[in-house]
Amino acid sequence: MSQRGDITSEELESLKQAFKLYDRDGDGGITASEFGSILKSLNIATHPKEIESIVASVDSNNDGSIDFDEFVVAMTKHMPSQPRQRQSRRYSSQRVSFHEDDELLQCFQAFDKNNDGYISQKELEEVMSRLGENLTSQEILDMMTEADTNKDGQIDFKEFKKLWPPAHPQ
């Protein structure tokens, strides 16, 4: 059972979207090895023993796979709080969002299937479909048109980043 009571619905939705991106085969789980890579990329843990310890602590059913509830527990327990100056008290303990640069780059890379530094219309369509978004060809084209500000037919990281709202209200 996850400890979801201490996170906002916005954070939970962000975690759902992140989990879907990391669960590449859509089987409802992330392998321990993949989860270790996530921990490294988010700078939660870098040493193999640290990673092993975190994986063991959240893999509550000991199946070697991190399911969504376990993922939520891991992220809420291990993501550092990032107090911000000039923020109201209610935002002071907000966790690092998946919209921050490093996490946003991970998201971009999940869309960029061929690792060429760009998201093509086909890649966008594949990822949106995997996320459960059954969009028409016109809707995909509209998304591309909106995001592709330099009109080169693909979305680079700079354009992708502009699509996301700021992670922390000031």
Side-chain angles (χ1 to χ4, degrees), residues 8-28:
T8 67
S9 59
E10 185 178 274
E11 287 172 323
L12 185 60
E13 186 57 36
S14 181
L15 289 171
K16 281 180 188 174
Q17 295 303 318
F19 186 82
K20 284 181 182 180
L21 290 171
Y22 293 129
D23 180 16
R24 294 187 185 274
D25 60 5
D27 69 352

Side-chain angles (χ1 to χ4, degrees), residues 3 6-7 44 53-54 57-58 70-81 95:
Q3 300 165 347
D6 63 341
I7 64 174
I44 293 172
S53 173
I54 291 173
S57 76
V58 297
E70 292 166 335
F71 181 76
V72 170
V73 169
M75 294 297 103
T76 57
K77 183 176 179 182
H78 297 287
M79 286 293 286
S81 291
R95 287 173 198 80

Side-chain angles (χ1 to χ4, degrees), residues 75-93:
M75 294 297 103
T76 57
K77 183 176 179 182
H78 297 287
M79 286 293 286
S81 291
Q82 189 170 5
R84 303 276 183 157
Q85 292 184 3
R86 297 184 300 136
Q87 285 185 330
S88 70
R89 197 178 204 66
R90 101 187 143 122
Y91 294 112
S92 65
S93 65

